[in-house]
Amino acid sequence: MENANFPTSDKGRVYHVEVKRGEVANRIITVGDHTRAEEFAQYLDKDSPLFRLSSARGFLTITGKYKGVPVSIIAIGMGLPMMDFFVREVRSVVDGQLAIIRFGTCGSIGDARTGSIIVQNAAFAITRNYNYFSDTEEIESELTDEKPYNFTKIFHADPQLYKKIELELINSFGEDNVFTGLNATCDSFYSSQGRKDGNFRDYNSNLISTISDIYPEAISLEMEAFMLFHLAKSSTSLPLKDSNNTILKNSIKAASAAMVVADRVTNDFISPVKVHDIQKVAGRAVLNALVDFELIYVHPDDDDCVW
Ligand code: R1P
Ligand code: URA
């Protein structure tokens, strides 16, 4: 390993995802779960080789072609830091624009019932305000000005990319089963998503209603999309121009969709068999959207490029 600032191996492999230049395509589907990644990989072209790399830190990268177009499917596990590792490390080994679609699961706080799909066209984050929890006496006597949870501003998905996903999902599942709207990315599945847990003082009994007060248009809760949109927005420009000769402002285009597995209104939770059935169909839909999206990049020179 070299370079403490951005560690890479002497073969150019990044520290946590472990991929190197030529192993990841510019079009990427990212999921949490390895089995979902493997399931989506079954749709990749059978006549093209499949590259597969499992990292010691739990990332799984599968690169192949879908309808003749190079794509990678990358499972990252869960939470904001995993999305940060993935986006930054993959960005560092791929040249040109990146299109990244997250396809995950979520909870619904709106009209979407379990089994439906939410296209998350924007996201904010809800994070536990650790300072609030530092002095129990202060909390109990209501002396603190702190709030137990912090809410960020809203960051947006790429409008063209999310509309392509929405269209493909509607074609596959019908309009009644596809919802589009604002997502809250939370730093816990439990406390910052308003779940009750008697083993901890979480001060979250009003959290779901606070979400509706601050962002009445919020319809889903999950744990990664905000970081993806935030990093896409923070990504620097490329010395490349699009078909209108405009310099590309951000190098990453991002979007997200998720199956509703938890209905936080009715308290229904979906069976794993049903998730499996939905993602089988949704996998094709998101891959179709991904390869149909215009992107500017060049094939790397490396002899050992896997695509
Ligand atoms: C929690 O169960 C996990 O499910 C959701 C959340 O964002 C979190 O990662 O997404 P995935 O199904 O993609 O993992
Ligand atoms: N993923 C989450 O983060 N929350 C849910 O309620 C369901 C899936």
Side-chain angles (χ1 to χ4, degrees):
M1 281 282 161
E2 295 170 6
N3 183 3
N5 179 65
F6 204 106
T8 49
S9 75
D10 50 4
K11 296 202 163 57
R13 296 197 174 278
V14 290
Y15 189 35
H16 307 91
V17 186
E18 292 184 14
V19 288
K20 67 178 175 62
R21 185 162 256 95
E23 292 178 347
V24 180
N26 295 69
R27 292 184 166 82
I28 302 168
I29 305 277
T30 181
V31 297
D33 186 325
H34 285 214
T35 59
R36 192 175 308 143
E38 292 289 359
E39 179 138 17
F40 287 7
Q42 288 178 20
Y43 295 131
L44 299 185
D45 300 347
K46 303 281 181 272
D47 55 357
S48 294
L50 268 199
F51 167 83
R52 214 184 228 90
L53 181 81
S54 206
S55 89
R57 294 291 190 173
F59 296 89
L60 170 67
T61 302
I62 303 171
T63 298
K65 287 188 178 165
Y66 180 72
K67 297 186 175 172
V69 180
V71 297
S72 291
I73 299 166
I74 305 188
I76 66 168
M78 295 179 280
L80 294 151
M82 294 301 270
M83 183 59 86
D84 187 66
F85 282 124
F86 152 64
V87 175
R88 288 177 187 274
E89 292 190 5
V90 163
R91 175 64 287 178
S92 77
V93 294
V94 181
D95 299 319
Q97 280 190 307
L98 282 177
I100 305 177
I101 299 176
R102 164 171 153 75
F103 187 78
T105 58
C106 69
S108 168
I109 53 171
D111 295 334
R113 303 280 73 89
T114 57
S116 55
I117 302 192
I118 295 181
V119 178
Q120 297 155 332
N121 64 359
F124 60 98
I126 304 176
T127 54
R128 192 162 164 113
N129 175 11
Y130 301 105
N131 289 341
Y132 177 89
F133 296 82
S134 66
D135 188 334
T136 313
E137 262 178 42
E138 229 176 55
I139 302 171
E140 305 291 326
S141 52
E142 294 180 8
L143 282 174
T144 175
D145 292 331
E146 306 265 4
K147 299 265 186 295
Y149 296 91
N150 295 323
F151 287 64
T152 69
K153 291 185 178 177
I154 292 173
F155 287 70
H156 294 271
D158 181 84
Q160 271 107 40
L161 189 54
Y162 93 70
K163 285 198 178 113
K164 278 190 192 295
I165 298 168
E166 185 183 48
L167 192 68
E168 289 288 344
L169 288 171
I170 289 174
N171 286 342
S172 304
F173 293 95
E175 260 183 42
D176 292 349
N177 296 309
V178 180
F179 295 75
T180 298
L182 178 62
N183 172 69
T185 293
C186 309
D187 64 352
S188 166
F189 181 81
Y190 298 102
S191 66
S192 53
Q193 291 190 24
R195 288 189 160 91
K196 315 283 175 283
D197 178 353
N199 291 314
F200 297 91
R201 292 190 190 90
D202 287 324
Y203 302 101
N204 65 355
S205 53
N206 297 326
L207 186 60
I208 302 279
S209 64
T210 308
I211 297 173
S212 305
D213 292 343
I214 298 176
Y215 290 123
E217 69 277 35
I219 58 174
S220 66
L221 307 176
E222 53 75 80
M223 299 178 65
E224 296 84 11
F226 169 82
M227 182 60 90
L228 175 59
F229 297 172
H230 164 73
L231 289 174
K233 169 100 183 163
S234 316
S235 63
T236 46
S237 60
L238 286 175
L240 289 172
K241 292 180 177 174
D242 66 12
S243 43
N244 301 321
N245 230 15
T246 315
I247 288 263
L248 299 171
K249 212 165 152 222
N250 301 107
S251 73
I252 303 176
K253 306 282 179 187
S256 176
M259 301 172 277
V260 177
V261 296
D263 187 333
R264 302 300 304 284
V265 179
T266 65
N267 211 25
D268 181 37
F269 199 84
I270 205 171
S271 78
V273 177
K274 220 167 158 202
V275 173
H276 189 259
D277 290 346
I278 299 163
Q279 76 188 19
K280 235 169 145 171
V281 179
R284 273 197 194 283
V286 287
L287 280 163
N288 284 337
L290 185 66
V291 299
D292 188 39
F293 186 67
E294 196 193 327
L295 212 59
I296 300 176
Y297 61 93
V298 284
H299 192 277
D301 286 340
D302 304 37
D303 288 341
D304 52 356
C305 174
V306 303
W307 52 273

